Amino acid sequence: MPPRANPTARQGRLGTELRKLCEATGLESRDAAAFLGVNQTQISHIESGRF
């Protein structure tokens, strides 16, 4: 399924929280992706609320 053009409020909050957690722990998106077992593109989509 392609990413959403207009994220829901819940998706936006999830992306914001993921970004905050990465910043607080000093993780790069590639490190978070490896930890979660996904690719960096998926992390980017989650952070932007477009998943």
Side-chain angles (χ1 to χ4, degrees):
M1 179 180 337
R4 288 178 179 260
N6 298 315
T8 64
R10 183 179 288 177
Q11 289 171 319
R13 284 193 309 269
L14 176 63
T16 299
E17 288 302 315
L18 176 59
R19 195 173 313 111
K20 284 181 186 178
L21 289 169
C22 285
E23 289 173 1
T25 59
L27 285 177
E28 298 286 331
S29 60
R30 68 176 178 271
D31 300 325
F35 181 76
L36 295 171
V38 298
N39 64 45
Q40 193 170 353
T41 301
Q42 288 174 302
I43 294 294
S44 176
H45 283 180
I46 292 169
E47 287 181 342
S48 66
R50 299 177 8 190
F51 61 99

